[in-house]
Amino acid sequence: MESAPRPWKLAEINYGLVKQQRYEVAVLPLGATEPHNLHLPYATDALEGDLIGEKICAAAWQQGAKVVLLPTVPYGTQTNQQGFPLAMNVNPSTLAALVTDLVQSLVHHGILKIVLLNSHGGNDFKALLRELYGRTPAKLFLCNWYQVCRDVYGQVFQQPDDHAGEMETSLGLACFPELVARREDGSLTADEGRTAATRFEAVNRGWVSITRPWHLLTTNSGAGNPHAATAEKGARFLDLLVPRLATFLVELSAAPLDERFPY
Ligand SMILES: [Zn+2]
């Protein structure tokens, strides 16, 4: 941890500091507790929420944004991962209730611009945005950060990453290398992250969707080959991702909540 508390990070600051601030935007990262192939920690999604939340808030604050980063929610929806030990499920309705309570707290404290920074594909908040629309004065924004750089993904990575693949492993190597398990020769303890196809072409081609039973889809919970991951790729990916989201936070912080917001 840096020596001085970071004024945008609620978990580090005290009432004395909060009293002096007028925050415009709150960022709430949402993670999960689940296996990530054989090499990444169960907290991977929460760690990603922490680190991406910190990087975008630090960059936005430096550019004048009045943003506060809330502690990351460490659990997410894992109904389809129950075939794996200690995948800790919170149902979508429970998660929605938790986020609704936190949104109400923020509104009570006068923060109406709220960004849900989601790290986990099993967390689905769009329905909640629709349900809360018109029922709360809060303006809710949902960011699945892993989708932000789809257009430039191929500039950094060779393999697609659904879960614990090249992108997530590269982030781990860049930001929490001590938690990425490797063999003596330096190779990852992971398998190849191969996934099975269903018996239905319509499902395999995405015309029809299901919630995928993860123990049937994968061998060791990984979906996507992680072996080409490097710390350098993780850093490059963050260099693409962070400015995009930091710019959004700066704009959001400065935006007046007038009648035509956000248009
Ligand atoms: Zn993950």
Side-chain angles (χ1 to χ4, degrees):
M1 197 183 291
E2 290 159 30
S3 49
R6 294 168 281 188
W8 43 264
K9 186 168 181 183
L10 188 59
E12 289 182 8
I13 55 182
N14 51 49
Y15 178 39
L17 287 169
V18 169
K19 254 188 181 180
Q20 299 164 22
Q21 297 296 342
R22 175 78 187 84
Y23 294 107
E24 282 284 327
V25 178
V27 175
L28 174 63
L30 295 125
T33 300
E34 60 177 359
H36 274 72
N37 206 323
L38 298 167
H39 65 299
L40 292 177
Y42 270 58
T44 294
D45 291 4
L47 291 167
E48 291 163 349
D50 285 345
L51 72 93
I52 292 165
E54 288 185 2
K55 286 183 189 298
I56 65 177
C57 288
W61 185 273
Q62 227 173 13
Q63 297 167 59
K66 291 291 171 194
V67 59
V68 63
L69 178 68
L70 302 178
T72 301
V73 175
Y75 300 112
T77 297
Q78 306 292 157
T79 47
N80 62 338
Q81 281 235 8
Q82 292 307 294
F84 292 104
L86 292 177
M88 302 303 293
N89 176 57
V90 174
N91 281 329
S93 53
T94 314
L95 207 52
L98 172 69
V99 172
T100 300
D101 286 355
L102 294 174
V103 165
Q104 277 172 359
S105 295
L106 289 166
V107 169
H108 174 79
H109 298 301
I111 301 179
L112 299 183
K113 302 169 192 167
I114 300 168
V115 179
L116 307 180
L117 182 67
N118 180 38
S119 277
H120 172 54
N123 292 343
D124 209 343
F125 295 109
K126 193 62 184 284
L128 178 65
L129 263 62
R130 295 186 197 281
E131 189 160 332
L132 290 182
Y133 182 82
R135 278 175 43 193
T136 170
K139 305 299 180 188
L140 295 174
F141 294 84
L142 171 61
C143 175
N144 296 319
W145 62 257
Y146 45 86
Q147 294 171 332
V148 170
C149 286
R150 273 179 174 167
D151 58 324
V152 288
Y153 185 90
Q155 292 176 18
V156 182
F157 302 113
Q158 293 146 251
Q159 302 285 336
D161 184 345
D162 187 356
H163 180 71
E166 187 181 353
M167 183 269 282
E168 278 201 297
T169 302
S170 294
L171 284 180
L173 290 170
C175 300
F176 44 89
E178 70 285 1
L179 298 179
V180 180
R182 286 191 263 190
R183 300 192 187 91
E184 296 270 284
D185 66 1
S187 65
L188 301 167
T189 60
D191 71 19
E192 309 295 313
R194 264 191 279 277
T195 54
T198 74
R199 65 189 69 178
F200 302 108
E201 188 193 1
V203 171
N204 298 335
R205 296 188 57 178
W207 304 336
V208 170
S209 80
I210 57 170
T211 182
R212 296 168 294 175
W214 219 261
H215 62 293
L216 302 178
L217 173 73
T218 67
T219 47
N220 287 297
S221 83
N225 191 331
H227 290 284
T230 66
E232 188 262 332
K233 288 179 184 177
R236 268 168 59 207
F237 181 70
L238 288 170
D239 285 344
L240 294 171
L241 176 67
V242 171
R244 288 185 174 189
L245 294 179
T247 298
F248 168 64
L249 294 179
V250 172
E251 291 169 355
L252 184 59
S253 176
L257 288 175
D258 55 28
E259 263 170 33
R260 286 201 33 91
F261 182 92
Y263 292 92

